[in-house]
Amino acid sequence: MALARLTLASGRSVDLAELWFSSTYGDLLEGYPCKPVNDLRIRELLRAAERSHPGTPVHLVPPPREHPDQYAGGLGPVEVLPAVACLGTFHSAALDPARDPVLYRSRLAVLWFQPAPHPPSGCDTERALRDIDWTGLARDTRAVA
């Protein structure tokens, strides 16, 4: 059973099968949010997503980056990402119409950031998430029994 069904901008319906939230800066013990720290955090999250979803492509929705007027330390200006990192596994009908629709589904793991921990649904879904190029990013895989 899907956690949510989304309709992408392309008109394709996709089901959210799994969703993980994590605090963007929950494990930041030293330093401050800045571009090098944010880029490292994103790379770590992408690597974790690839390890936990082998065989499924992983896509990053580029996060908005705010630059508040605060003191810049040794790593450069303060740069803040939204508070919650989200990793969702989505699936839909097979991309290849020749594939058996019972045996194959298209799949994609997506990493995105949002201000609060809530599942995507309807008009509250981040626009960038609804704009995903499903046919260009997802991959057909054999359905899990």
Side-chain angles (χ1 to χ4, degrees):
M1 181 171 181
L3 295 171
R5 175 164 284 167
L6 304 176
T7 302
L8 302 179
S10 65
R12 178 181 279 272
S13 290
V14 298
D15 292 326
L16 176 61
E18 183 179 62
L19 179 60
W20 294 93
F21 295 120
S22 64
S23 171
T24 301
Y25 300 113
D27 59 355
L28 184 64
L29 300 176
E30 303 184 11
Y32 59 95
C34 58
K35 183 170 179 26
V37 168
N38 291 338
D39 290 347
L40 178 62
R41 176 72 173 143
I42 290 168
R43 280 193 307 273
E44 289 171 346
L45 289 166
L46 286 170
R47 278 195 301 270
E50 290 165 351
R51 282 192 308 270
S52 65
H53 298 87
T56 300
V58 176
H59 173 67
L60 170 68
V61 173
R65 297 172 184 245
E66 293 183 13
H67 299 91
D69 188 21
Q70 295 179 352
Y71 174 76
L75 296 174
V78 173
E79 179 183 86
V80 181
L81 299 176
V84 181
C86 308
L87 176 62
T89 305
F90 295 86
H91 60 82
S92 185
L95 296 169
D96 182 350
R99 293 192 188 262
D100 184 328
V102 174
L103 295 178
Y104 287 89
R105 306 284 289 162
S106 55
R107 297 187 188 286
L108 180 64
V110 180
L111 174 63
W112 75 96
F113 292 80
Q114 60 187 34
H118 59 80
S121 69
C123 53
D124 289 342
T125 303
E126 302 288 324
R127 180 71 193 172
L129 191 56
R130 286 183 279 135
D131 287 341
I132 287 175
D133 174 17
W134 188 265
T135 58
L137 297 169
R139 181 181 304 143
D140 285 349
T141 59
R142 208 163 161 84
V144 177

